[in-house]
Coordinates of all heavy atoms in Angstrom, one line a residue:
M1 N 3.6 12.8 -24.2 CA 2.2 12.8 -23.6 C 1.9 14.2 -23.2 O 2.7 15.0 -22.9 CB 2.2 11.9 -22.4 CG 2.6 10.5 -22.6 SD 2.3 9.5 -21.1 CE 0.7 8.8 -21.6
S2 N 0.6 14.5 -23.3 CA 0.2 15.8 -22.9 C -1.1 15.7 -22.0 O -1.9 14.8 -22.2 CB 0.0 16.8 -24.1 OG -1.3 16.5 -24.6
L3 N -1.2 16.6 -21.1 CA -2.4 16.7 -20.3 C -2.9 18.1 -20.4 O -2.1 19.1 -20.0 CB -2.0 16.4 -18.8 CG -3.1 16.4 -17.8 CD1 -4.1 15.4 -18.1 CD2 -2.5 16.2 -16.4
F4 N -4.1 18.3 -20.9 CA -4.6 19.6 -21.1 C -3.7 20.5 -21.9 O -3.5 21.7 -21.6 CB -5.0 20.3 -19.8 CG -5.9 19.5 -18.9 CD1 -5.5 18.9 -17.7 CD2 -7.2 19.3 -19.3 CE1 -6.3 18.2 -17.0 CE2 -8.1 18.5 -18.6 CZ -7.7 18.0 -17.4
G5 N -3.0 19.9 -22.9 CA -2.2 20.7 -23.8 C -0.8 21.0 -23.2 O 0.0 21.6 -23.9
V6 N -0.5 20.4 -22.0 CA 0.9 20.6 -21.4 C 1.6 19.3 -21.6 O 1.1 18.2 -21.3 CB 0.7 20.9 -19.9 CG1 2.1 21.0 -19.3 CG2 -0.1 22.2 -19.7
S7 N 2.8 19.4 -22.2 CA 3.6 18.2 -22.4 C 4.2 17.7 -21.1 O 4.8 18.5 -20.3 CB 4.8 18.5 -23.4 OG 5.5 17.4 -23.6
L8 N 4.0 16.4 -20.9 CA 4.5 15.8 -19.6 C 5.4 14.6 -19.9 O 5.0 13.5 -19.9 CB 3.3 15.3 -18.8 CG 2.3 16.4 -18.3 CD1 1.2 15.7 -17.6 CD2 3.0 17.4 -17.4
P9 N 6.7 14.9 -20.3 CA 7.6 13.8 -20.7 C 7.9 12.9 -19.5 O 8.3 11.8 -19.7 CB 8.8 14.5 -21.2 CG 8.8 15.8 -20.6 CD 7.3 16.2 -20.4
W10 N 7.7 13.4 -18.3 CA 8.1 12.6 -17.1 C 7.0 11.8 -16.6 O 7.1 11.1 -15.6 CB 8.6 13.6 -16.0 CG 7.7 14.8 -15.9 CD1 7.9 16.0 -16.5 CD2 6.5 14.9 -15.2 NE1 6.9 16.8 -16.2 CE2 6.0 16.2 -15.4 CE3 5.7 14.0 -14.4 CZ2 4.8 16.6 -14.8 CZ3 4.6 14.5 -13.8 CH2 4.1 15.8 -14.0
S11 N 5.8 11.8 -17.2 CA 4.6 11.2 -16.7 C 4.8 9.6 -16.6 O 4.3 9.0 -15.6 CB 3.4 11.5 -17.5 OG 3.5 11.0 -18.8
L12 N 5.4 9.0 -17.6 CA 5.6 7.5 -17.5 C 6.5 7.1 -16.3 O 6.1 6.3 -15.5 CB 6.0 7.0 -18.8 CG 6.3 5.5 -18.8 CD1 4.9 4.7 -18.5 CD2 6.8 5.0 -20.1
P13 N 7.7 7.7 -16.2 CA 8.5 7.4 -15.1 C 7.9 7.7 -13.7 O 8.0 6.9 -12.8 CB 9.8 8.2 -15.2 CG 9.8 8.5 -16.7 CD 8.4 8.6 -17.1
L14 N 7.1 8.8 -13.6 CA 6.4 9.1 -12.4 C 5.4 8.1 -12.1 O 5.2 7.7 -10.9 CB 5.8 10.5 -12.5 CG 5.1 11.0 -11.2 CD1 6.1 11.1 -10.1 CD2 4.4 12.3 -11.5
T15 N 4.6 7.7 -13.1 CA 3.6 6.6 -12.9 C 4.2 5.3 -12.4 O 3.7 4.7 -11.5 CB 2.8 6.4 -14.2 OG1 2.2 7.6 -14.6 CG2 1.8 5.4 -14.0
L16 N 5.3 5.0 -13.0 CA 6.0 3.7 -12.6 C 6.5 3.8 -11.1 O 6.4 2.8 -10.4 CB 7.2 3.4 -13.5 CG 6.8 3.1 -14.9 CD1 8.0 2.9 -15.8 CD2 5.9 1.8 -15.0
V17 N 7.0 5.0 -10.7 CA 7.5 5.2 -9.4 C 6.3 5.1 -8.4 O 6.4 4.4 -7.4 CB 8.2 6.5 -9.2 CG1 8.4 6.9 -7.7 CG2 9.5 6.5 -9.9
I18 N 5.2 5.7 -8.7 CA 4.0 5.6 -7.9 C 3.5 4.2 -7.7 O 3.2 3.7 -6.6 CB 2.9 6.5 -8.4 CG1 3.3 8.0 -8.2 CG2 1.5 6.3 -7.7 CD1 2.4 9.0 -8.9
Y19 N 3.4 3.5 -8.8 CA 3.0 2.0 -8.8 C 4.0 1.2 -8.0 O 3.6 0.3 -7.3 CB 2.8 1.5 -10.2 CG 1.5 1.8 -10.8 CD1 1.4 2.5 -12.0 CD2 0.3 1.5 -10.1 CE1 0.2 2.8 -12.5 CE2 -0.9 1.8 -10.7 CZ -1.0 2.5 -11.9 OH -2.2 2.8 -12.4
G20 N 5.3 1.5 -8.1 CA 6.3 0.8 -7.3 C 6.1 1.0 -5.8 O 6.3 0.1 -5.1
V21 N 5.8 2.2 -5.4 CA 5.6 2.5 -4.0 C 4.3 1.8 -3.5 O 4.3 1.2 -2.4 CB 5.4 4.1 -3.8 CG1 4.9 4.4 -2.4 CG2 6.8 4.7 -4.1
V22 N 3.3 1.7 -4.3 CA 2.1 1.0 -3.9 C 2.3 -0.5 -3.8 O 1.9 -1.1 -2.8 CB 0.9 1.3 -4.9 CG1 -0.3 0.4 -4.7 CG2 0.5 2.8 -4.9
V23 N 3.1 -1.0 -4.7 CA 3.4 -2.5 -4.6 C 4.3 -2.7 -3.4 O 4.1 -3.7 -2.7 CB 4.1 -2.9 -5.9 CG1 4.7 -4.3 -5.8 CG2 3.1 -2.9 -7.1
A24 N 5.2 -1.9 -3.2 CA 6.1 -2.0 -2.0 C 5.3 -1.9 -0.7 O 5.5 -2.7 0.3 CB 7.2 -1.0 -2.0
A25 N 4.3 -1.0 -0.6 CA 3.5 -0.9 0.6 C 2.6 -2.1 0.7 O 2.5 -2.6 1.9 CB 2.6 0.4 0.5
A26 N 2.1 -2.6 -0.4 CA 1.3 -3.9 -0.3 C 2.1 -5.0 0.2 O 1.6 -5.8 1.0 CB 0.6 -4.2 -1.6
A27 N 3.3 -5.2 -0.3 CA 4.2 -6.3 0.1 C 4.5 -6.1 1.6 O 4.5 -7.1 2.4 CB 5.4 -6.3 -0.7
W28 N 4.8 -4.9 2.1 CA 5.2 -4.7 3.5 C 4.0 -5.0 4.4 O 4.1 -5.7 5.4 CB 5.6 -3.2 3.7 CG 5.7 -2.9 5.2 CD1 6.8 -3.3 6.0 CD2 4.8 -2.3 6.0 NE1 6.5 -2.9 7.2 CE2 5.3 -2.2 7.3 CE3 3.6 -1.7 5.7 CZ2 4.6 -1.6 8.3 CZ3 2.9 -1.1 6.8 CH2 3.5 -1.1 8.1
I29 N 2.8 -4.6 4.0 CA 1.6 -4.9 4.8 C 1.3 -6.4 4.8 O 1.0 -6.9 5.9 CB 0.4 -4.1 4.3 CG1 0.5 -2.6 4.7 CG2 -0.9 -4.6 4.9 CD1 -0.6 -1.7 4.3
Y30 N 1.4 -7.0 3.7 CA 1.2 -8.5 3.7 C 2.2 -9.2 4.6 O 1.8 -10.0 5.4 CB 1.3 -9.0 2.2 CG 1.4 -10.5 2.2 CD1 0.3 -11.3 2.4 CD2 2.6 -11.1 1.9 CE1 0.4 -12.7 2.3 CE2 2.7 -12.5 1.9 CZ 1.6 -13.3 2.1 OH 1.7 -14.6 2.1
R31 N 3.5 -8.9 4.5 CA 4.5 -9.5 5.3 C 4.3 -9.2 6.8 O 4.5 -10.1 7.6 CB 5.9 -9.1 4.8 CG 6.3 -9.7 3.5 CD 7.6 -9.1 3.0 NE 8.6 -9.2 4.0 CZ 9.7 -10.0 3.9 NH1 9.8 -10.8 2.9 NH2 10.5 -10.0 4.9
D32 N 4.0 -8.0 7.1 CA 3.8 -7.6 8.5 C 2.5 -8.3 9.1 O 2.6 -8.9 10.2 CB 3.6 -6.1 8.6 CG 3.6 -5.7 10.1 OD1 4.6 -5.8 10.7 OD2 2.5 -5.3 10.6
A33 N 1.4 -8.4 8.3 CA 0.2 -9.1 8.8 C 0.5 -10.6 8.9 O 0.0 -11.2 9.9 CB -0.9 -8.8 7.8
R34 N 1.2 -11.1 8.0 CA 1.6 -12.6 8.1 C 2.4 -12.8 9.3 O 2.3 -13.8 10.1 CB 2.3 -13.0 6.9 CG 2.4 -14.5 6.8 CD 3.1 -15.0 5.5 NE 4.4 -14.4 5.6 CZ 5.3 -14.5 4.6 NH1 5.0 -15.0 3.5 NH2 6.5 -13.9 4.8
A35 N 3.4 -11.9 9.6 CA 4.3 -12.1 10.8 C 3.5 -12.0 12.1 O 3.9 -12.6 13.1 CB 5.4 -11.1 10.7
R36 N 2.4 -11.2 12.1 CA 1.6 -11.1 13.3 C 0.6 -12.2 13.4 O -0.2 -12.2 14.3 CB 0.9 -9.7 13.2 CG 1.8 -8.5 13.3 CD 0.9 -7.2 13.2 NE 1.8 -6.1 13.1 CZ 2.3 -5.4 14.1 NH1 2.1 -5.8 15.3 NH2 3.1 -4.4 13.9
G37 N 0.5 -13.1 12.4 CA -0.4 -14.2 12.5 C -1.8 -13.9 12.0 O -2.7 -14.6 12.3
S38 N -1.9 -12.9 11.2 CA -3.3 -12.5 10.7 C -3.8 -13.5 9.7 O -3.0 -13.9 8.8 CB -3.2 -11.1 10.1 OG -4.5 -10.8 9.5
R39 N -5.0 -13.9 9.8 CA -5.6 -14.8 8.8 C -5.9 -14.0 7.6 O -6.2 -14.6 6.5 CB -6.9 -15.4 9.4 CG -6.7 -16.3 10.6 CD -8.0 -16.9 11.0 NE -9.2 -16.0 10.7 CZ -10.4 -16.4 11.0 NH1 -10.7 -17.5 11.6 NH2 -11.4 -15.6 10.7
Y40 N -5.9 -12.7 7.6 CA -6.3 -11.8 6.5 C -5.1 -11.1 5.9 O -5.3 -10.1 5.3 CB -7.3 -10.8 7.0 CG -8.6 -11.4 7.6 CD1 -8.8 -11.4 9.0 CD2 -9.5 -12.1 6.8 CE1 -9.9 -12.0 9.5 CE2 -10.6 -12.8 7.4 CZ -10.8 -12.7 8.7 OH -11.9 -13.3 9.3
A41 N -4.0 -11.7 5.9 CA -2.8 -11.1 5.4 C -2.9 -10.8 3.9 O -2.6 -9.8 3.4 CB -1.5 -11.9 5.7
V42 N -3.5 -11.8 3.2 CA -3.7 -11.7 1.7 C -4.7 -10.6 1.4 O -4.5 -9.8 0.5 CB -4.1 -13.0 1.1 CG1 -4.5 -12.9 -0.4 CG2 -3.0 -14.1 1.3
V43 N -5.7 -10.5 2.2 CA -6.7 -9.5 2.0 C -6.1 -8.1 2.2 O -6.4 -7.2 1.4 CB -7.9 -9.7 3.0 CG1 -8.9 -8.6 2.9 CG2 -8.6 -11.0 2.6
W44 N -5.3 -7.9 3.3 CA -4.7 -6.6 3.5 C -3.8 -6.3 2.3 O -3.8 -5.1 1.9 CB -3.8 -6.7 4.8 CG -4.6 -6.5 6.0 CD1 -4.8 -7.4 7.0 CD2 -5.3 -5.3 6.5 NE1 -5.6 -6.9 8.0 CE2 -5.9 -5.6 7.7 CE3 -5.4 -4.0 5.9 CZ2 -6.6 -4.6 8.4 CZ3 -6.1 -3.1 6.6 CH2 -6.7 -3.4 7.9
G45 N -3.0 -7.2 1.8 CA -2.1 -6.9 0.7 C -2.9 -6.6 -0.6 O -2.5 -5.6 -1.2
L46 N -3.9 -7.4 -0.9 CA -4.6 -7.1 -2.1 C -5.5 -5.8 -2.0 O -5.6 -5.1 -3.0 CB -5.6 -8.3 -2.4 CG -4.9 -9.6 -2.9 CD1 -5.9 -10.7 -3.1 CD2 -4.1 -9.3 -4.2
S47 N -6.0 -5.5 -0.9 CA -6.8 -4.3 -0.7 C -5.9 -3.1 -0.9 O -6.3 -2.0 -1.4 CB -7.5 -4.3 0.6 OG -6.7 -4.2 1.7
T48 N -4.6 -3.2 -0.4 CA -3.7 -2.1 -0.6 C -3.4 -1.9 -2.1 O -3.3 -0.8 -2.6 CB -2.4 -2.4 0.1 OG1 -2.7 -2.6 1.5 CG2 -1.4 -1.3 0.0
L49 N -3.3 -3.0 -2.9 CA -3.0 -2.8 -4.3 C -4.2 -2.1 -5.0 O -4.1 -1.4 -5.9 CB -2.8 -4.2 -5.0 CG -1.5 -4.8 -4.7 CD1 -1.4 -6.2 -5.3 CD2 -0.3 -4.0 -5.2
V50 N -5.4 -2.5 -4.5 CA -6.6 -1.9 -5.2 C -7.0 -0.5 -4.7 O -7.3 0.4 -5.5 CB -7.8 -2.9 -5.0 CG1 -9.1 -2.3 -5.5 CG2 -7.5 -4.2 -5.6
F51 N -7.0 -0.3 -3.4 CA -7.5 0.9 -2.9 C -6.4 1.9 -2.4 O -6.6 2.9 -1.8 CB -8.4 0.7 -1.7 CG -9.6 -0.1 -2.1 CD1 -9.8 -1.4 -1.7 CD2 -10.6 0.4 -2.9 CE1 -10.9 -2.2 -2.1 CE2 -11.7 -0.3 -3.3 CZ -11.8 -1.6 -2.9
T52 N -5.1 1.5 -2.6 CA -3.9 2.3 -2.2 C -3.9 2.8 -0.8 O -3.5 2.0 0.1 CB -3.6 3.4 -3.2 OG1 -4.6 4.3 -3.2 CG2 -3.4 2.8 -4.6
I53 N -4.1 4.0 -0.5 CA -3.8 4.6 0.8 C -4.8 4.3 1.9 O -4.4 4.2 3.0 CB -3.7 6.2 0.6 CG1 -3.0 6.8 1.8 CG2 -5.0 6.8 0.4 CD1 -1.6 6.4 2.0
L54 N -6.0 4.0 1.6 CA -7.0 3.8 2.7 C -6.7 2.5 3.5 O -6.7 2.6 4.7 CB -8.4 3.7 2.1 CG -9.0 5.0 1.6 CD1 -10.4 4.8 1.0 CD2 -9.0 6.0 2.7
P55 N -6.3 1.4 2.9 CA -5.9 0.2 3.7 C -4.6 0.4 4.5 O -4.5 -0.1 5.6 CB -5.7 -0.9 2.6 CG -6.5 -0.5 1.5 CD -6.4 1.0 1.4
V56 N -3.7 1.2 3.9 CA -2.5 1.5 4.6 C -2.8 2.3 5.9 O -2.3 1.9 7.0 CB -1.5 2.3 3.8 CG1 -0.3 2.8 4.6 CG2 -1.1 1.5 2.6
L57 N -3.6 3.3 5.8 CA -4.0 4.1 7.0 C -4.8 3.2 8.0 O -4.6 3.3 9.2 CB -4.8 5.3 6.6 CG -4.1 6.3 5.7 CD1 -5.0 7.4 5.3 CD2 -2.9 6.9 6.5
A58 N -5.7 2.4 7.5 CA -6.5 1.5 8.4 C -5.6 0.5 9.1 O -5.7 0.3 10.3 CB -7.6 0.8 7.6
Y59 N -4.7 -0.1 8.4 CA -3.8 -1.0 8.9 C -2.9 -0.4 10.0 O -2.7 -1.0 11.1 CB -2.9 -1.7 7.9 CG -2.0 -2.8 8.4 CD1 -2.6 -4.1 8.5 CD2 -0.7 -2.6 8.8 CE1 -1.8 -5.1 9.0 CE2 0.0 -3.7 9.3 CZ -0.5 -4.9 9.4 OH 0.2 -5.9 9.9
L60 N -2.3 0.8 9.7 CA -1.5 1.4 10.7 C -2.3 1.8 11.9 O -1.8 1.7 13.1 CB -0.9 2.7 10.1 CG 0.2 2.4 9.0 CD1 0.7 3.7 8.4 CD2 1.4 1.6 9.6
Y61 N -3.5 2.3 11.7 CA -4.4 2.6 12.9 C -4.8 1.4 13.7 O -4.7 1.5 15.0 CB -5.7 3.3 12.4 CG -6.6 3.7 13.5 CD1 -6.3 4.8 14.3 CD2 -7.7 3.0 13.7 CE1 -7.2 5.2 15.3 CE2 -8.6 3.3 14.8 CZ -8.3 4.4 15.5 OH -9.2 4.7 16.6
L62 N -5.1 0.3 13.1 CA -5.6 -0.9 13.8 C -4.4 -1.5 14.6 O -4.7 -2.2 15.6 CB -6.2 -1.8 12.9 CG -7.6 -1.4 12.3 CD1 -8.0 -2.4 11.3 CD2 -8.6 -1.2 13.4
H63 N -3.2 -1.4 14.1 CA -2.1 -2.1 14.7 C -1.1 -1.1 15.4 O 0.0 -1.4 15.7 CB -1.3 -2.9 13.7 CG -2.1 -4.0 13.1 ND1 -2.6 -5.0 13.8 CD2 -2.6 -4.2 11.8 CE1 -3.3 -5.8 13.1 NE2 -3.3 -5.3 11.8
R64 N -1.6 0.1 15.7 CA -0.7 1.1 16.3 C -0.2 0.7 17.7 O 0.9 1.1 18.1 CB -1.4 2.4 16.4 CG -2.6 2.5 17.4 CD -3.3 3.8 17.2 NE -4.4 3.9 18.2 CZ -5.6 3.2 18.1 NH1 -5.8 2.5 17.0 NH2 -6.5 3.4 19.0
D65 N -0.9 0.0 18.5 CA -0.5 -0.4 19.8 C 0.2 -1.8 19.9 O 0.6 -2.2 21.0 CB -1.7 -0.4 20.8 CG -2.4 0.9 20.9 OD1 -1.6 1.9 20.8 OD2 -3.6 1.0 21.1
A66 N 0.2 -2.5 18.8 CA 0.7 -3.9 18.8 C 2.3 -3.9 18.9 O 2.8 -4.9 19.3 CB 0.3 -4.6 17.5
G67 N 2.9 -2.8 18.5 CA 4.4 -2.8 18.5 C 4.9 -3.5 17.3 O 4.2 -4.0 16.4
P68 N 6.2 -3.7 17.2 CA 6.8 -4.4 16.0 C 6.4 -5.9 16.0 O 6.3 -6.5 17.0 CB 8.3 -4.2 16.2 CG 8.5 -3.8 17.6 CD 7.2 -3.2 18.2
A69 N 6.3 -6.4 14.8 CA 6.1 -7.8 14.6 C 7.3 -8.6 15.0 O 8.4 -8.2 14.9 CB 5.7 -8.1 13.2
R70 N 7.1 -9.8 15.5 CA 8.2 -10.6 15.9 C 8.5 -11.7 14.9 O 7.8 -12.2 14.2 CB 7.8 -11.3 17.3 CG 7.6 -10.2 18.3 CD 7.6 -10.8 19.7 NE 7.0 -10.0 20.7 CZ 7.5 -8.8 21.1 NH1 8.4 -8.3 20.5 NH2 6.9 -8.2 22.1

């Protein structure tokens, strides 16, 4: 693969790692929201898959004072 004429043989593994991190973050947010009793746990998880970092930051900000889920 090349990007602007530069060969990037590592681009596929790097892409897979990035998608893996996004899926892991979505799963963590879904499980945490469900453990907290949120009615919107699925929405949090799916929005993380679609919009990546913005829902993660919003979720962490909104639940910063809640402490760990029980």
Side-chain angles (χ1 to χ4, degrees):
M1 299 188 102
S2 81
L3 178 67
F4 303 111
V6 177
S7 180
L8 301 174
W10 45 266
S11 65
L12 179 61
L14 181 63
T15 301
L16 293 176
V17 167
I18 290 170
Y19 280 121
V21 169
V22 170
V23 169
W28 171 76
I29 286 180
Y30 167 75
R31 290 173 48 112
D32 188 69
R34 191 181 63 187
R36 293 176 189 275
S38 173
R39 297 181 334 177
Y40 303 108
V42 172
V43 173
W44 279 112
L46 290 176
S47 65
T48 301
L49 286 175
V50 174
F51 300 110
T52 62
I53 195 67
L54 291 177
V56 173
L57 295 174
Y59 186 82
L60 291 174
Y61 178 77
L62 292 173
H63 297 297
R64 68 187 183 282
D65 295 331
R70 300 196 195 296

